[in-house]
Short mmCIF file of all heavy atoms in Angstrom, two decimals:
data_model
loop_
_atom_site.label_atom_id
_atom_site.label_comp_id
_atom_site.label_asym_id
_atom_site.label_seq_id
_atom_site.Cartn_x
_atom_site.Cartn_y
_atom_site.Cartn_z
N CYS A 821 0.86 -1.18 0.00
CA CYS A 821 0.00 0.00 0.00
C CYS A 821 0.90 1.24 0.00
O CYS A 821 1.75 1.40 0.86
CB CYS A 821 -0.90 0.00 1.23
SG CYS A 821 -1.93 1.49 1.35
N CYS A 822 0.68 2.11 -0.99
CA CYS A 822 1.53 3.29 -1.10
C CYS A 822 1.08 4.43 -0.18
O CYS A 822 1.79 5.39 0.02
CB CYS A 822 1.59 3.78 -2.54
SG CYS A 822 0.00 4.37 -3.18
N GLY A 823 -0.15 4.30 0.36
CA GLY A 823 -0.65 5.32 1.28
C GLY A 823 -1.11 6.60 0.61
O GLY A 823 -1.37 7.59 1.29
N SER A 824 -1.25 6.59 -0.72
CA SER A 824 -1.63 7.83 -1.42
C SER A 824 -3.12 7.89 -1.74
O SER A 824 -3.55 8.79 -2.44
CB SER A 824 -0.81 7.98 -2.70
OG SER A 824 -1.15 6.98 -3.62
N GLY A 825 -3.87 6.91 -1.26
CA GLY A 825 -5.31 6.93 -1.50
C GLY A 825 -5.71 6.40 -2.86
O GLY A 825 -6.73 6.82 -3.42
N CYS A 826 -4.91 5.51 -3.41
CA CYS A 826 -5.24 4.92 -4.71
C CYS A 826 -6.65 4.33 -4.68
O CYS A 826 -7.10 3.85 -3.65
CB CYS A 826 -4.26 3.79 -5.04
SG CYS A 826 -2.57 4.32 -5.28
N GLU A 827 -7.30 4.37 -5.82
CA GLU A 827 -8.63 3.80 -5.95
C GLU A 827 -8.62 2.82 -7.10
O GLU A 827 -8.50 3.26 -8.25
CB GLU A 827 -9.65 4.91 -6.18
CG GLU A 827 -11.07 4.50 -6.09
CD GLU A 827 -11.48 3.97 -4.71
OE1 GLU A 827 -11.07 4.48 -3.67
OE2 GLU A 827 -12.24 3.00 -4.73
N PRO A 828 -8.67 1.54 -6.92
CA PRO A 828 -8.82 0.89 -5.62
C PRO A 828 -7.44 0.62 -4.99
O PRO A 828 -6.46 0.38 -5.69
CB PRO A 828 -9.51 -0.42 -5.96
CG PRO A 828 -9.01 -0.77 -7.33
CD PRO A 828 -8.83 0.57 -8.03
N CYS A 829 -7.42 0.64 -3.71
CA CYS A 829 -6.22 0.31 -2.94
C CYS A 829 -6.08 -1.21 -2.91
O CYS A 829 -7.06 -1.94 -3.04
CB CYS A 829 -6.37 0.86 -1.52
SG CYS A 829 -5.02 0.41 -0.41
N VAL A 830 -4.85 -1.67 -2.71
CA VAL A 830 -4.65 -3.13 -2.60
C VAL A 830 -5.50 -3.70 -1.47
O VAL A 830 -5.95 -4.84 -1.54
CB VAL A 830 -3.17 -3.51 -2.41
CG1 VAL A 830 -2.37 -3.18 -3.65
CG2 VAL A 830 -2.57 -2.86 -1.19
N TRP A 831 -5.74 -2.91 -0.43
CA TRP A 831 -6.57 -3.38 0.68
C TRP A 831 -8.04 -3.46 0.29
O TRP A 831 -8.77 -4.33 0.76
CB TRP A 831 -6.37 -2.51 1.92
CG TRP A 831 -5.03 -2.77 2.52
CD1 TRP A 831 -3.92 -1.98 2.45
CD2 TRP A 831 -4.63 -3.94 3.26
NE1 TRP A 831 -2.87 -2.59 3.09
CE2 TRP A 831 -3.27 -3.78 3.59
CE3 TRP A 831 -5.28 -5.10 3.64
CZ2 TRP A 831 -2.56 -4.75 4.31
CZ3 TRP A 831 -4.57 -6.06 4.35
CH2 TRP A 831 -3.23 -5.87 4.68
N ASP A 832 -8.49 -2.55 -0.58
CA ASP A 832 -9.86 -2.63 -1.10
C ASP A 832 -10.05 -3.91 -1.90
O ASP A 832 -11.05 -4.61 -1.75
CB ASP A 832 -10.18 -1.43 -2.00
CG ASP A 832 -10.15 -0.11 -1.27
OD1 ASP A 832 -10.43 -0.09 -0.05
OD2 ASP A 832 -9.84 0.91 -1.93
N LEU A 833 -9.07 -4.21 -2.75
CA LEU A 833 -9.14 -5.43 -3.57
C LEU A 833 -9.12 -6.66 -2.68
O LEU A 833 -9.86 -7.62 -2.92
CB LEU A 833 -7.98 -5.46 -4.56
CG LEU A 833 -7.96 -4.33 -5.59
CD1 LEU A 833 -6.68 -4.39 -6.41
CD2 LEU A 833 -9.19 -4.38 -6.46
N TYR A 834 -8.30 -6.63 -1.64
CA TYR A 834 -8.24 -7.76 -0.71
C TYR A 834 -9.59 -7.95 -0.01
O TYR A 834 -10.07 -9.09 0.12
CB TYR A 834 -7.14 -7.54 0.32
CG TYR A 834 -7.14 -8.56 1.43
CD1 TYR A 834 -6.83 -9.89 1.17
CD2 TYR A 834 -7.47 -8.20 2.73
CE1 TYR A 834 -6.84 -10.84 2.18
CE2 TYR A 834 -7.47 -9.15 3.75
CZ TYR A 834 -7.16 -10.46 3.47
OH TYR A 834 -7.18 -11.40 4.47
N GLN A 835 -10.23 -6.87 0.40
CA GLN A 835 -11.53 -6.98 1.06
C GLN A 835 -12.57 -7.57 0.13
O GLN A 835 -13.41 -8.37 0.55
CB GLN A 835 -11.99 -5.61 1.58
CG GLN A 835 -11.23 -5.14 2.80
CD GLN A 835 -11.33 -6.12 3.97
OE1 GLN A 835 -12.37 -6.68 4.26
NE2 GLN A 835 -10.20 -6.34 4.62
N GLU A 836 -12.52 -7.21 -1.16
CA GLU A 836 -13.44 -7.80 -2.14
C GLU A 836 -13.18 -9.30 -2.27
O GLU A 836 -14.13 -10.09 -2.31
CB GLU A 836 -13.27 -7.12 -3.50
CG GLU A 836 -13.79 -5.71 -3.56
CD GLU A 836 -13.49 -5.03 -4.88
OE1 GLU A 836 -13.08 -5.72 -5.85
OE2 GLU A 836 -13.68 -3.80 -4.96
N GLN A 837 -11.91 -9.67 -2.34
CA GLN A 837 -11.57 -11.09 -2.44
C GLN A 837 -12.00 -11.84 -1.19
O GLN A 837 -12.48 -12.97 -1.26
CB GLN A 837 -10.06 -11.25 -2.63
CG GLN A 837 -9.56 -10.75 -3.95
CD GLN A 837 -8.03 -10.71 -4.03
OE1 GLN A 837 -7.35 -10.85 -3.02
NE2 GLN A 837 -7.51 -10.50 -5.22
N LEU A 838 -11.86 -11.23 -0.03
CA LEU A 838 -12.24 -11.85 1.23
C LEU A 838 -13.76 -12.05 1.30
O LEU A 838 -14.23 -13.11 1.73
CB LEU A 838 -11.76 -10.98 2.40
CG LEU A 838 -11.68 -11.61 3.76
CD1 LEU A 838 -10.82 -12.86 3.76
CD2 LEU A 838 -11.11 -10.60 4.76
N THR A 839 -14.52 -11.08 0.84
CA THR A 839 -15.98 -11.20 0.81
C THR A 839 -16.39 -12.35 -0.11
O THR A 839 -17.25 -13.16 0.24
CB THR A 839 -16.61 -9.87 0.35
OG1 THR A 839 -16.27 -8.86 1.29
CG2 THR A 839 -18.12 -9.99 0.23
N GLU A 840 -15.75 -12.42 -1.29
CA GLU A 840 -16.05 -13.50 -2.23
C GLU A 840 -15.66 -14.86 -1.63
O GLU A 840 -16.41 -15.84 -1.75
CB GLU A 840 -15.29 -13.28 -3.53
CG GLU A 840 -15.59 -14.29 -4.60
CD GLU A 840 -14.84 -14.00 -5.89
OE1 GLU A 840 -14.70 -12.83 -6.26
OE2 GLU A 840 -14.40 -14.98 -6.52
N TYR A 841 -14.52 -14.92 -0.98
CA TYR A 841 -14.07 -16.15 -0.34
C TYR A 841 -15.06 -16.61 0.72
O TYR A 841 -15.41 -17.79 0.79
CB TYR A 841 -12.69 -15.95 0.28
CG TYR A 841 -12.35 -16.97 1.34
CD1 TYR A 841 -12.05 -18.28 1.00
CD2 TYR A 841 -12.36 -16.63 2.69
CE1 TYR A 841 -11.75 -19.23 1.98
CE2 TYR A 841 -12.06 -17.55 3.67
CZ TYR A 841 -11.76 -18.86 3.31
OH TYR A 841 -11.48 -19.78 4.27
N ARG A 842 -15.53 -15.70 1.55
CA ARG A 842 -16.47 -16.06 2.61
C ARG A 842 -17.77 -16.62 2.04
O ARG A 842 -18.34 -17.56 2.59
CB ARG A 842 -16.73 -14.86 3.51
CG ARG A 842 -15.54 -14.54 4.39
CD ARG A 842 -15.78 -13.31 5.23
NE ARG A 842 -14.64 -13.06 6.10
CZ ARG A 842 -14.27 -11.87 6.53
NH1 ARG A 842 -14.95 -10.79 6.16
NH2 ARG A 842 -13.22 -11.73 7.31
N ALA A 843 -18.23 -16.05 0.94
CA ALA A 843 -19.44 -16.56 0.29
C ALA A 843 -19.21 -17.96 -0.27
O ALA A 843 -20.04 -18.86 -0.11
CB ALA A 843 -19.89 -15.61 -0.82
N LYS A 844 -18.05 -18.15 -0.92
CA LYS A 844 -17.72 -19.47 -1.46
C LYS A 844 -17.55 -20.49 -0.34
O LYS A 844 -17.97 -21.64 -0.48
CB LYS A 844 -16.45 -19.40 -2.30
CG LYS A 844 -16.63 -18.71 -3.62
CD LYS A 844 -15.32 -18.66 -4.40
CE LYS A 844 -15.50 -17.99 -5.73
NZ LYS A 844 -14.23 -17.96 -6.49
N LEU A 845 -16.95 -20.07 0.77
CA LEU A 845 -16.75 -20.98 1.90
C LEU A 845 -18.09 -21.38 2.49
O LEU A 845 -18.31 -22.56 2.80
CB LEU A 845 -15.87 -20.32 2.96
CG LEU A 845 -15.57 -21.16 4.20
CD1 LEU A 845 -14.82 -22.44 3.82
CD2 LEU A 845 -14.77 -20.34 5.21
N ALA A 846 -19.00 -20.45 2.65
CA ALA A 846 -20.32 -20.76 3.21
C ALA A 846 -21.05 -21.76 2.30
O ALA A 846 -21.67 -22.71 2.79
CB ALA A 846 -21.14 -19.49 3.39
N ALA A 847 -20.96 -21.56 0.99
CA ALA A 847 -21.61 -22.48 0.05
C ALA A 847 -20.95 -23.85 0.13
O ALA A 847 -21.64 -24.88 0.12
CB ALA A 847 -21.53 -21.92 -1.37
N TRP A 848 -19.63 -23.89 0.22
CA TRP A 848 -18.92 -25.16 0.32
C TRP A 848 -19.30 -25.89 1.61
O TRP A 848 -19.52 -27.09 1.60
CB TRP A 848 -17.41 -24.92 0.26
CG TRP A 848 -16.61 -26.18 0.38
CD1 TRP A 848 -16.29 -27.04 -0.62
CD2 TRP A 848 -16.05 -26.72 1.58
NE1 TRP A 848 -15.56 -28.08 -0.12
CE2 TRP A 848 -15.40 -27.91 1.24
CE3 TRP A 848 -16.03 -26.31 2.91
CZ2 TRP A 848 -14.74 -28.70 2.18
CZ3 TRP A 848 -15.37 -27.09 3.84
CH2 TRP A 848 -14.74 -28.28 3.47
N GLN A 849 -19.37 -25.15 2.72
CA GLN A 849 -19.75 -25.76 4.00
C GLN A 849 -21.15 -26.35 3.93
O GLN A 849 -21.41 -27.42 4.48
CB GLN A 849 -19.64 -24.73 5.12
CG GLN A 849 -18.20 -24.39 5.46
CD GLN A 849 -18.07 -23.22 6.41
OE1 GLN A 849 -18.88 -22.29 6.41
NE2 GLN A 849 -17.03 -23.25 7.23
N ALA A 850 -22.05 -25.67 3.25
CA ALA A 850 -23.42 -26.19 3.10
C ALA A 850 -23.41 -27.48 2.27
O ALA A 850 -24.10 -28.45 2.61
CB ALA A 850 -24.32 -25.14 2.45
N ARG A 851 -22.61 -27.50 1.19
CA ARG A 851 -22.51 -28.72 0.38
C ARG A 851 -21.90 -29.86 1.18
O ARG A 851 -22.36 -31.00 1.10
CB ARG A 851 -21.67 -28.46 -0.87
CG ARG A 851 -22.34 -27.60 -1.91
CD ARG A 851 -21.61 -27.59 -3.23
NE ARG A 851 -20.20 -27.23 -3.16
CZ ARG A 851 -19.72 -26.00 -3.19
NH1 ARG A 851 -20.56 -24.96 -3.29
NH2 ARG A 851 -18.42 -25.76 -3.14
N GLU A 852 -20.89 -29.55 1.97
CA GLU A 852 -20.25 -30.57 2.80
C GLU A 852 -21.22 -31.13 3.83
O GLU A 852 -21.26 -32.34 4.05
CB GLU A 852 -19.01 -30.01 3.51
CG GLU A 852 -17.78 -29.98 2.65
CD GLU A 852 -17.32 -31.36 2.22
OE1 GLU A 852 -16.87 -32.14 3.09
OE2 GLU A 852 -17.42 -31.65 1.02
#
């Protein structure tokens, strides 16, 4: 993170990936 307020920041992208991962994990847990 360069700290200059980039849009999107690497942390924003990570949060999007984390949200997608949590949804996929919940679906996987239900299938399991």
Side-chain angles (χ1 to χ4, degrees):
C821 177
C822 65
S824 67
C826 295
E827 191 62 39
C829 175
V830 293
W831 288 104
D832 296 331
L833 297 174
Y834 172 67
Q835 287 302 319
E836 289 175 12
Q837 292 170 348
L838 198 55
T839 298
E840 183 178 322
Y841 160 73
R842 288 177 178 151
K844 287 180 179 180
L845 180 61
W848 179 85
Q849 289 171 328
R851 289 191 306 274
E852 278 297 292

